[in-house]
Amino acid sequence: MANKLSAVIIMGFAIFSLVSVTSAFSGTATYYTVYTPSACYGYEDEGTMIAAASEGIYNNGGACGKMYKITCTGATNAGVTQPCTGASVTVKVVDLCPSPGCQGTFDLSQEAFSQIANTNAGKVYIDYTPV
């Protein structure tokens, strides 16, 4: 009986692990250095761990205030071959990154970007999940 219970518990953890891995979305991240009034909050100070979201995520303002955990997964160019720090960062969406100028899924503050990647990379592949 104890062996069956252990097997069930192990299977539960395995399934939970797969669910949490598959719930991440893939995209790209860039960063900005000059903060201007945001589409969500104007000139209100929302801290430094902030981001502008691409139009698909921004959803006509529906993403304002939502939090995302972002992890660098790799380089998008040959300039910095291993830009990722191995860390993740949680950011708050405070702005829209409109097309055609938007170069990433998220445009992070420089402070947030530097937590996950070398800023010399400029743009990196990411995984992101809502938190």
Side-chain angles (χ1 to χ4, degrees), residues 35-44 46 51-53 58 60-66 92-96:
Y35 184 79
T36 58
S38 76
C40 299
Y41 300 103
Y43 282 106
E44 277 184 40
E46 295 298 318
Y58 186 73
N60 293 320
C64 288
K66 293 196 176 180
K92 179 179 181 179
V93 173
V94 299
D95 208 353
L96 167 65

mmCIF file of all heavy atoms in Angstrom, residues 35-44 46 51-53 58 60-66 92-96:
data_model
loop_
_atom_site.group_PDB
_atom_site.id
_atom_site.type_symbol
_atom_site.label_atom_id
_atom_site.label_comp_id
_atom_site.label_asym_id
_atom_site.label_seq_id
_atom_site.Cartn_x
_atom_site.Cartn_y
_atom_site.Cartn_z
ATOM 1 N N TYR A 35 12.203 56.857 -19.740
ATOM 2 C CA TYR A 35 10.802 56.644 -19.396
ATOM 3 C C TYR A 35 9.984 57.868 -19.779
ATOM 4 O O TYR A 35 10.337 58.993 -19.442
ATOM 5 C CB TYR A 35 10.668 56.374 -17.896
ATOM 6 C CG TYR A 35 9.250 56.057 -17.479
ATOM 7 C CD1 TYR A 35 8.730 54.788 -17.696
ATOM 8 C CD2 TYR A 35 8.447 57.014 -16.901
ATOM 9 C CE1 TYR A 35 7.437 54.479 -17.329
ATOM 10 C CE2 TYR A 35 7.142 56.722 -16.523
ATOM 11 C CZ TYR A 35 6.649 55.452 -16.739
ATOM 12 O OH TYR A 35 5.360 55.152 -16.383
ATOM 13 N N THR A 36 8.921 57.651 -20.499
ATOM 14 C CA THR A 36 7.988 58.719 -20.858
ATOM 15 C C THR A 36 6.625 58.369 -20.260
ATOM 16 O O THR A 36 6.458 57.277 -19.728
ATOM 17 C CB THR A 36 7.878 58.853 -22.393
ATOM 18 O OG1 THR A 36 7.457 57.596 -22.928
ATOM 19 C CG2 THR A 36 9.217 59.245 -23.003
ATOM 20 N N PRO A 37 5.652 59.239 -20.356
ATOM 21 C CA PRO A 37 4.350 58.898 -19.787
ATOM 22 C C PRO A 37 3.865 57.555 -20.344
ATOM 23 O O PRO A 37 3.964 57.302 -21.543
ATOM 24 C CB PRO A 37 3.434 60.032 -20.224
ATOM 25 C CG PRO A 37 4.316 61.126 -20.670
ATOM 26 C CD PRO A 37 5.640 60.515 -21.031
ATOM 27 N N SER A 38 3.365 56.712 -19.478
ATOM 28 C CA SER A 38 2.908 55.398 -19.925
ATOM 29 C C SER A 38 1.445 55.442 -20.337
ATOM 30 O O SER A 38 0.676 56.288 -19.875
ATOM 31 C CB SER A 38 3.114 54.358 -18.828
ATOM 32 O OG SER A 38 2.137 54.487 -17.813
ATOM 33 N N ALA A 39 1.070 54.497 -21.172
ATOM 34 C CA ALA A 39 -0.317 54.401 -21.632
ATOM 35 C C ALA A 39 -1.251 54.025 -20.486
ATOM 36 O O ALA A 39 -2.432 54.323 -20.528
ATOM 37 C CB ALA A 39 -0.420 53.383 -22.763
ATOM 38 N N CYS A 40 -0.722 53.375 -19.470
ATOM 39 C CA CYS A 40 -1.552 52.924 -18.344
ATOM 40 C C CYS A 40 -1.625 53.928 -17.206
ATOM 41 O O CYS A 40 -2.670 54.100 -16.597
ATOM 42 C CB CYS A 40 -1.013 51.612 -17.782
ATOM 43 S SG CYS A 40 -0.981 50.231 -18.945
ATOM 44 N N TYR A 41 -0.495 54.575 -16.881
ATOM 45 C CA TYR A 41 -0.422 55.352 -15.650
ATOM 46 C C TYR A 41 0.097 56.774 -15.812
ATOM 47 O O TYR A 41 0.359 57.454 -14.821
ATOM 48 C CB TYR A 41 0.461 54.623 -14.629
ATOM 49 C CG TYR A 41 -0.056 53.253 -14.285
ATOM 50 C CD1 TYR A 41 0.546 52.118 -14.821
ATOM 51 C CD2 TYR A 41 -1.147 53.089 -13.452
ATOM 52 C CE1 TYR A 41 0.061 50.854 -14.519
ATOM 53 C CE2 TYR A 41 -1.634 51.833 -13.148
ATOM 54 C CZ TYR A 41 -1.026 50.713 -13.682
ATOM 55 O OH TYR A 41 -1.509 49.466 -13.385
ATOM 56 N N GLY A 42 0.297 57.237 -17.041
ATOM 57 C CA GLY A 42 0.811 58.589 -17.231
ATOM 58 C C GLY A 42 2.190 58.743 -16.617
ATOM 59 O O GLY A 42 3.067 57.930 -16.851
ATOM 60 N N TYR A 43 2.372 59.766 -15.793
ATOM 61 C CA TYR A 43 3.666 60.021 -15.155
ATOM 62 C C TYR A 43 3.790 59.378 -13.762
ATOM 63 O O TYR A 43 4.761 59.610 -13.072
ATOM 64 C CB TYR A 43 3.920 61.528 -15.026
ATOM 65 C CG TYR A 43 4.360 62.167 -16.315
ATOM 66 C CD1 TYR A 43 3.487 62.970 -17.032
ATOM 67 C CD2 TYR A 43 5.638 61.968 -16.822
ATOM 68 C CE1 TYR A 43 3.884 63.573 -18.221
ATOM 69 C CE2 TYR A 43 6.043 62.562 -18.002
ATOM 70 C CZ TYR A 43 5.159 63.363 -18.693
ATOM 71 O OH TYR A 43 5.555 63.956 -19.873
ATOM 72 N N GLU A 44 2.809 58.591 -13.324
ATOM 73 C CA GLU A 44 2.891 57.948 -12.013
ATOM 74 C C GLU A 44 4.115 57.043 -11.946
ATOM 75 O O GLU A 44 4.405 56.305 -12.884
ATOM 76 C CB GLU A 44 1.653 57.080 -11.756
ATOM 77 C CG GLU A 44 0.478 57.822 -11.235
ATOM 78 C CD GLU A 44 -0.676 56.879 -10.908
ATOM 79 O OE1 GLU A 44 -0.448 55.782 -10.382
ATOM 80 O OE2 GLU A 44 -1.806 57.256 -11.228
ATOM 81 N N GLU A 46 5.788 53.879 -11.112
ATOM 82 C CA GLU A 46 5.405 52.486 -10.886
ATOM 83 C C GLU A 46 6.619 51.615 -10.574
ATOM 84 O O GLU A 46 6.567 50.396 -10.704
ATOM 85 C CB GLU A 46 4.651 51.945 -12.110
ATOM 86 C CG GLU A 46 3.325 52.630 -12.371
ATOM 87 C CD GLU A 46 2.330 52.464 -11.230
ATOM 88 O OE1 GLU A 46 2.229 51.357 -10.673
ATOM 89 O OE2 GLU A 46 1.650 53.460 -10.886
ATOM 90 N N ALA A 51 7.365 47.123 -17.567
ATOM 91 C CA ALA A 51 7.486 46.752 -18.977
ATOM 92 C C ALA A 51 6.363 47.364 -19.796
ATOM 93 O O ALA A 51 5.282 47.648 -19.286
ATOM 94 C CB ALA A 51 7.439 45.232 -19.124
ATOM 95 N N ALA A 52 6.659 47.515 -21.086
ATOM 96 C CA ALA A 52 5.642 47.825 -22.079
ATOM 97 C C ALA A 52 5.351 46.514 -22.797
ATOM 98 O O ALA A 52 6.269 45.747 -23.098
ATOM 99 C CB ALA A 52 6.155 48.871 -23.060
ATOM 100 N N ALA A 53 4.097 46.241 -23.043
ATOM 101 C CA ALA A 53 3.692 44.991 -23.675
ATOM 102 C C ALA A 53 3.345 45.226 -25.137
ATOM 103 O O ALA A 53 2.817 46.280 -25.501
ATOM 104 C CB ALA A 53 2.481 44.403 -22.955
ATOM 105 N N TYR A 58 -1.001 43.538 -24.645
ATOM 106 C CA TYR A 58 -1.579 44.756 -24.086
ATOM 107 C C TYR A 58 -3.112 44.715 -24.098
ATOM 108 O O TYR A 58 -3.759 45.166 -23.161
ATOM 109 C CB TYR A 58 -1.053 45.973 -24.848
ATOM 110 C CG TYR A 58 -1.490 47.287 -24.261
ATOM 111 C CD1 TYR A 58 -0.941 47.748 -23.073
ATOM 112 C CD2 TYR A 58 -2.441 48.076 -24.897
ATOM 113 C CE1 TYR A 58 -1.326 48.964 -22.528
ATOM 114 C CE2 TYR A 58 -2.839 49.289 -24.359
ATOM 115 C CZ TYR A 58 -2.286 49.718 -23.182
ATOM 116 O OH TYR A 58 -2.682 50.923 -22.649
ATOM 117 N N ASN A 60 -5.663 46.264 -25.621
ATOM 118 C CA ASN A 60 -6.403 47.525 -25.439
ATOM 119 C C ASN A 60 -6.430 47.992 -23.987
ATOM 120 O O ASN A 60 -7.436 48.511 -23.520
ATOM 121 C CB ASN A 60 -7.825 47.396 -25.983
ATOM 122 C CG ASN A 60 -7.840 47.242 -27.480
ATOM 123 O OD1 ASN A 60 -7.080 47.897 -28.172
ATOM 124 N ND2 ASN A 60 -8.700 46.362 -27.977
ATOM 125 N N GLY A 61 -5.346 47.789 -23.260
ATOM 126 C CA GLY A 61 -5.253 48.231 -21.878
ATOM 127 C C GLY A 61 -5.602 47.173 -20.853
ATOM 128 O O GLY A 61 -5.426 47.379 -19.659
ATOM 129 N N GLY A 62 -6.070 46.024 -21.319
ATOM 130 C CA GLY A 62 -6.440 44.953 -20.394
ATOM 131 C C GLY A 62 -5.266 44.410 -19.596
ATOM 132 O O GLY A 62 -5.447 43.828 -18.535
ATOM 133 N N ALA A 63 -4.049 44.614 -20.099
ATOM 134 C CA ALA A 63 -2.861 44.109 -19.400
ATOM 135 C C ALA A 63 -2.301 45.105 -18.396
ATOM 136 O O ALA A 63 -1.378 44.761 -17.649
ATOM 137 C CB ALA A 63 -1.777 43.741 -20.412
ATOM 138 N N CYS A 64 -2.819 46.315 -18.361
ATOM 139 C CA CYS A 64 -2.294 47.315 -17.422
ATOM 140 C C CYS A 64 -2.335 46.786 -15.995
ATOM 141 O O CYS A 64 -3.378 46.320 -15.529
ATOM 142 C CB CYS A 64 -3.109 48.605 -17.511
ATOM 143 S SG CYS A 64 -2.824 49.537 -19.027
ATOM 144 N N GLY A 65 -1.187 46.832 -15.339
ATOM 145 C CA GLY A 65 -1.094 46.379 -13.961
ATOM 146 C C GLY A 65 -0.834 44.893 -13.795
ATOM 147 O O GLY A 65 -0.539 44.445 -12.696
ATOM 148 N N LYS A 66 -0.940 44.121 -14.858
ATOM 149 C CA LYS A 66 -0.689 42.680 -14.749
ATOM 150 C C LYS A 66 0.804 42.429 -14.603
ATOM 151 O O LYS A 66 1.630 43.173 -15.104
ATOM 152 C CB LYS A 66 -1.253 41.942 -15.947
ATOM 153 C CG LYS A 66 -2.765 41.991 -15.966
ATOM 154 C CD LYS A 66 -3.355 40.976 -16.883
ATOM 155 C CE LYS A 66 -4.877 41.090 -16.724
ATOM 156 N NZ LYS A 66 -5.593 40.190 -17.533
ATOM 157 N N LYS A 92 5.782 44.563 -14.012
ATOM 158 C CA LYS A 92 4.409 45.055 -14.097
ATOM 159 C C LYS A 92 4.236 45.749 -15.441
ATOM 160 O O LYS A 92 5.061 46.585 -15.827
ATOM 161 C CB LYS A 92 4.150 46.037 -12.960
ATOM 162 C CG LYS A 92 2.768 46.636 -12.944
ATOM 163 C CD LYS A 92 2.641 47.583 -11.756
ATOM 164 C CE LYS A 92 1.265 48.198 -11.663
ATOM 165 N NZ LYS A 92 1.162 49.079 -10.490
ATOM 166 N N VAL A 93 3.172 45.427 -16.152
ATOM 167 C CA VAL A 93 2.886 46.090 -17.423
ATOM 168 C C VAL A 93 2.337 47.479 -17.122
ATOM 169 O O VAL A 93 1.332 47.631 -16.424
ATOM 170 C CB VAL A 93 1.886 45.284 -18.274
ATOM 171 C CG1 VAL A 93 1.465 46.076 -19.512
ATOM 172 C CG2 VAL A 93 2.484 43.942 -18.682
ATOM 173 N N VAL A 94 3.040 48.502 -17.648
ATOM 174 C CA VAL A 94 2.625 49.886 -17.424
ATOM 175 C C VAL A 94 2.418 50.639 -18.730
ATOM 176 O O VAL A 94 2.009 51.787 -18.719
ATOM 177 C CB VAL A 94 3.646 50.660 -16.561
ATOM 178 C CG1 VAL A 94 3.783 50.023 -15.190
ATOM 179 C CG2 VAL A 94 4.986 50.791 -17.246
ATOM 180 N N ASP A 95 2.719 49.982 -19.859
ATOM 181 C CA ASP A 95 2.685 50.719 -21.120
ATOM 182 C C ASP A 95 2.440 49.789 -22.293
ATOM 183 O O ASP A 95 2.558 48.566 -22.182
ATOM 184 C CB ASP A 95 4.018 51.449 -21.318
ATOM 185 C CG ASP A 95 3.896 52.710 -22.165
ATOM 186 O OD1 ASP A 95 2.807 52.972 -22.727
ATOM 187 O OD2 ASP A 95 4.901 53.435 -22.267
ATOM 188 N N LEU A 96 2.151 50.400 -23.423
ATOM 189 C CA LEU A 96 2.003 49.719 -24.707
ATOM 190 C C LEU A 96 3.277 49.891 -25.505
ATOM 191 O O LEU A 96 3.840 50.985 -25.550
ATOM 192 C CB LEU A 96 0.835 50.331 -25.484
ATOM 193 C CG LEU A 96 0.713 49.968 -26.967
ATOM 194 C CD1 LEU A 96 0.432 48.471 -27.135
ATOM 195 C CD2 LEU A 96 -0.379 50.806 -27.620
#
